């Protein structure tokens, strides 16, 4: 009888209701059974850009779900900066020349 009361009145037993909600959401809580790993913005950005380069919509959607859209945007921008710097050093050119060349723009 009390278990039925607890499930029908979650506001009366908030800690149990939160625990059940967390278990249902699969957030990695001890009662979840399977621990889910948190992804950081750089992992999400790397996975997202790699999936974009391969036109893999499913992988793009998965990576986009790991972090907020703002965090993903920041991570992709940071990845772009680092990639341009690495290519510029490798090619012994300026980052501006490399960036414009990658985008197919004329050099200034």
């Amino acid at each position: 009888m009390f278990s039925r009361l607890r499930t029908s009145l979650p506001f009366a037993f908030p800690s149990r209701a939160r625990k059940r909600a967390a278990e249902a959401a699969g957030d990695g809580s001890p009662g979840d059974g399977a621990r889910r790993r948190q992804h950081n913005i750089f992992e999400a950005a790397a996975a997202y850009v790699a999936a974009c380069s391969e036109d893999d919509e499913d992988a793009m959607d998965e990576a986009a779900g790991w972090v907020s859209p703002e965090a993903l945007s920041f991570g992709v921008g940071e990845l772009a900066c680092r990639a341009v710097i690495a290519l510029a050093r490798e090619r012994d050119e300026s980052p501006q020349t490399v960036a414009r060349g990658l985008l197919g723009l004329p050099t200034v």
Side-chain angles (χ1 to χ4, degrees), residues 44-99:
Y48 184 82
V49 170
C52 285
S53 69
E54 298 171 351
D55 286 334
D56 186 348
E57 290 282 332
D58 294 333
M60 287 169 48
D61 291 341
E62 180 183 351
W66 291 347
V67 295
S68 71
E70 296 83 10
L72 182 62
S73 177
F74 174 80
V76 169
E78 186 66 22
L79 177 62
C81 289
R82 292 178 187 197
V84 167
I85 290 169
L87 281 173
R89 287 179 182 161
E90 184 178 294
R91 296 177 182 180
D92 197 29
E93 296 177 349
S94 74
Q96 183 178 14
T97 302
V98 171

